[in-house]
Amino acid sequence: MIDISLEQNPLMQLNLLLWMSLKGRESWINPYFNKKGYEILVIEPEMPLPPRQVNVLNQNNIQFIDNPKPEVIFINKEKKNFLIIECKNQCFNLEDNNTRSTKQATSFLVYNADLISESFGIEAENFYGLLNYNFVKSDYLSEFTETIIKLSRDLGSLFNLKTNLPSTSYFSEEANNLFLNFIDPDNSLSDMNLKNQVKIMNLEQDTIIAPLYLIPLDSSGETDKYGEIVFYKRLKNSFAVFLGQLNYSDNNGEIILDIETDIIENVIKIWNTWSNAETKRFIRNKARIYLNKIISTLAQNIEDFSYESINDGYSLNIEDKSTITELRKEFLKVEIKREDEAIKKHQLSLNLNDQ
């Protein structure tokens, strides 16, 4: 069994929250946000600060990030509400204005409802922005809540406008169940009729966990061992599906494999709602490196098969129908990465014992 700590794993936090925004059965993961009318608007969007906000912050020597990227933005189209989520593995150091996390907090707080609405071309007066930080260390929460409220009020006075006052959430485990707990000092989440604690899922050993990784790789390129194995296994399975659907035409021996549309969109089902170009480029490169190993191995073992790397993927040169049969046969023999025993048994331990 692989032990994964939510405290050190913002990627796992994000995946749990994404599942809560999708239609599904409570027997898997409680689709709490979806039942409250929220769905994914965009994952990891760029939200540049306008010149006026930048000038005011600079004039007052306030450190900030001019292009913050939250993990995900949910939207309730009926009530016209935004829910902006940022996942963290530790509390912001609000006593040190030079840390990236503190600069990021300032930028998100300044990004009020009007600015968020302008970024997505929606009428500002019908929307509000909401910021929600997620980290596990419960002993941070009181200090964090107090300092973030003060920072929000100071910025509101500086700009003479309403800033986001974020609620805080964190995960906890009780009796083999995973819960999401909320601290909502300004009653920002009243439209969702929140209780203090929402059950997310069971943590029994026979629970299938691998599907939880809607996003198997972290945006920074860092991920846990389990997520990386899930990613490579899905790549291999998706390539197998591609081979299984191949049809040979006598007047066209060249077949194009597009890495993004033929492979990655099947590996990461929410790929098209992902906004960050840098992260997507990183994942495409990881996929290409892995597929290179598979396809080059096939080319070495099959006489009538060759390939050429092109911008979007590969040009596969296939001699005849028998070559397709040989490709499928040889592919079954390819071993690139060991499948971890934990994936075979679908077992995963979420370590929340340090609460």
Side-chain angles (χ1 to χ4, degrees):
M1 180 178 292
I2 293 179
D3 188 55
I4 294 179
S5 170
L6 275 176
E7 177 186 341
Q8 300 300 324
N9 199 320
L11 173 66
M12 179 64 74
Q13 298 173 29
L14 173 60
N15 277 307
L16 287 167
L17 293 163
L18 290 175
W19 271 110
M20 293 175 72
S21 73
L22 302 175
K23 292 182 180 178
R25 299 174 301 169
E26 290 192 29
S27 58
W28 164 233
I29 291 180
N30 180 6
Y32 181 80
F33 292 121
N34 182 270
K35 289 188 295 185
K36 296 298 182 181
Y38 285 86
E39 60 185 70
I40 299 170
L41 174 65
V42 61
I43 298 171
E44 213 176 1
E46 295 185 355
M47 297 168 56
L49 294 178
R52 175 180 175 271
Q53 277 70 18
V54 169
N55 290 337
V56 172
L57 291 170
N58 283 332
Q59 290 168 6
N60 288 273
N61 296 317
I62 297 175
Q63 299 291 318
F64 66 98
I65 294 175
D66 61 1
N67 192 20
K69 301 181 185 70
E71 313 287 3
V72 62
I73 297 179
F74 294 156
I75 186 171
N76 184 321
K77 292 181 179 178
E78 180 179 352
K79 295 185 177 180
K80 299 181 178 179
N81 294 336
F82 281 112
L83 178 60
I84 302 176
I85 293 180
E86 173 70 12
C87 300
K88 297 309 243 183
N89 60 5
Q90 60 184 351
C91 180
F92 289 113
N93 185 354
L94 295 173
E95 295 180 357
D96 185 352
N97 293 331
N98 292 319
T99 64
R100 176 175 174 80
S101 59
T102 307
K103 296 176 185 177
Q104 186 183 47
T106 298
S107 297
F108 282 135
L109 289 171
V110 169
Y111 226 99
N112 67 358
D114 290 351
L115 297 182
I116 292 169
S117 301
E118 290 172 9
S119 296
F120 298 100
I122 307 169
E123 294 182 15
E125 63 265 25
N126 295 326
F127 288 77
Y128 71 86
L130 177 64
L131 204 57
N132 189 28
Y133 293 101
N134 298 277
F135 52 85
V136 174
K137 274 287 188 180
S138 56
D139 56 341
Y140 288 149
L141 294 177
S142 296
E143 177 186 0
F144 173 82
T145 301
E146 292 174 1
T147 51
I148 204 74
I149 289 174
K150 182 179 184 304
L151 179 59
S152 175
R153 289 172 177 168
D154 289 346
L155 289 169
S157 298
L158 182 65
F159 287 97
N160 192 27
L161 49 76
K162 180 176 174 55
T163 59
N164 286 309
L165 181 57
S167 67
T168 303
S169 66
Y170 64 98
F171 295 97
S172 65
E173 180 185 7
E174 297 178 21
N176 290 327
N177 291 312
L178 184 66
F179 292 90
L180 185 61
N181 306 272
F182 295 88
I183 295 177
D184 188 21
D186 200 35
N187 201 31
S188 299
L189 301 175
S190 58
D191 71 303
M192 288 191 279
N193 300 316
L194 269 180
K195 299 178 181 178
N196 290 332
Q197 191 179 66
V198 175
K199 180 181 175 182
I200 301 176
M201 65 182 296
N202 294 323
L203 295 176
E204 302 293 342
Q205 286 194 357
D206 59 352
T207 301
I208 298 176
I209 297 295
L212 189 140
Y213 284 85
L214 290 168
I215 298 178
L217 297 181
D218 186 78
S219 60
S220 65
E222 300 176 0
T223 188
D224 58 73
K225 178 183 177 183
Y226 193 87
E228 188 172 9
I229 295 173
V230 168
F231 177 66
Y232 287 128
K233 184 178 180 182
R234 287 181 187 169
L235 282 177
K236 191 174 180 181
N237 289 344
S238 184
F239 185 74
V241 171
F242 176 82
L243 290 180
Q245 295 175 341
L246 280 182
N247 290 311
Y248 179 82
S249 173
D250 290 333
N251 59 8
N252 184 13
E254 180 188 51
I255 295 175
I256 300 299
L257 185 157
D258 187 294
I259 290 178
E260 190 162 319
T261 59
D262 292 324
I263 302 295
I264 297 181
E265 287 182 11
N266 296 318
V267 171
I268 302 176
K269 297 297 184 181
I270 52 179
W271 180 258
N272 290 325
T273 60
W274 208 334
S275 177
N276 190 294
E278 181 179 353
T279 301
K280 297 180 82 169
R281 182 167 56 251
F282 166 81
I283 292 178
R284 280 194 297 269
N285 288 339
K286 295 276 280 190
R288 182 183 285 274
I289 291 171
Y290 187 72
L291 291 171
N292 276 343
K293 295 178 180 179
I294 295 178
I295 295 173
S296 63
T297 300
L298 294 175
Q300 292 170 12
N301 296 338
I302 301 175
E303 184 176 351
D304 295 330
F305 170 69
S306 62
Y307 72 98
E308 180 181 356
S309 182
I310 57 179
N311 286 338
D312 297 327
Y314 301 92
S315 171
L316 308 179
N317 298 308
I318 297 176
E319 292 292 327
D320 51 37
K321 293 180 180 180
S322 64
T323 305
I324 294 179
T325 301
E326 191 70 12
L327 277 170
R328 293 167 180 163
K329 179 180 177 180
E330 288 297 318
F331 172 75
L332 296 176
K333 303 176 185 178
V334 174
E335 293 292 340
I336 301 297
K337 193 174 183 72
R338 178 178 60 88
E339 292 183 9
D340 195 277
E341 193 67 21
I343 283 185
K344 293 180 181 179
K345 294 182 178 180
H346 305 297
Q347 292 183 354
L348 176 68
S349 173
L350 294 177
N351 180 13
L352 296 169
N353 295 327
D354 294 332
Q355 294 302 305

